[in-house]
Amino acid sequence: MDISNLRESIDTVDQQILDLFVQRMELSEQVAEYKKANAMPIVNRQREREVLAGASEKAGQYGDYAYQLFSRLIDLSKARQSEMFAGETAVRALIDSALLPAEKLFPRSGM
């Protein structure tokens, strides 16, 4: 298999990961709605530990990497849930800032 075939395979997997990420975030929003309706906190450390331990164990030799990946997923889910509870979060502000057009981020000087 040559490098372009490998990259095509990676592109296919990346699209699957993206699709699953979107699905996970949508489910996380449903969890936030449930938590809000039932006056539950966003953070559940026990659940986080279970998810991280399971990911590490199931990933075998890639356990440490899976732990890091799922840590970020959990952080993003909590950030989205926080937005739904209270509006703006630091993560949302960073995302919005990164999406600004270059002209707004780097205005031209009055030469």
Side-chain angles (χ1 to χ4, degrees):
M1 190 175 264
D2 70 1
I3 191 75
S4 41
N5 293 101
L6 291 168
R7 287 182 175 155
E8 284 179 29
S9 295
I10 287 174
D11 289 345
T12 299
V13 170
D14 284 349
Q15 184 59 54
Q16 293 169 344
I17 291 170
L18 181 58
D19 293 342
L20 290 171
F21 172 74
V22 169
Q23 182 180 351
R24 189 184 198 287
M25 291 301 287
E26 289 169 348
L27 290 167
S28 181
E29 289 176 346
Q30 291 176 33
V31 168
E33 290 168 2
Y34 181 89
K35 288 177 178 179
K36 192 171 187 177
N38 291 281
M40 297 171 68
I42 292 170
V43 177
N44 181 336
R45 298 279 184 225
Q46 178 62 31
R47 171 73 176 146
E48 290 178 28
R49 283 191 294 271
E50 291 169 2
V51 169
L52 294 173
S56 293
E57 184 179 317
K58 292 173 186 173
Q61 68 179 352
Y62 305 110
D64 290 341
Y65 299 104
Y67 182 95
Q68 292 301 318
L69 173 63
F70 278 80
S71 290
R72 299 298 79 74
L73 288 172
I74 290 168
D75 289 345
L76 292 168
S77 292
K78 289 189 297 189
R80 179 62 185 132
Q81 289 181 14
S82 292
E83 286 175 356
M84 293 177 70
F85 268 59
E88 188 72 18
T89 67
V91 172
R92 180 82 239 165
L94 287 172
I95 291 169
D96 289 343
S97 171
L99 294 175
L100 287 174
E103 297 81 30
K104 291 200 185 235
L105 291 173
F106 304 104
R108 294 181 186 207
S109 62
M111 296 199 284

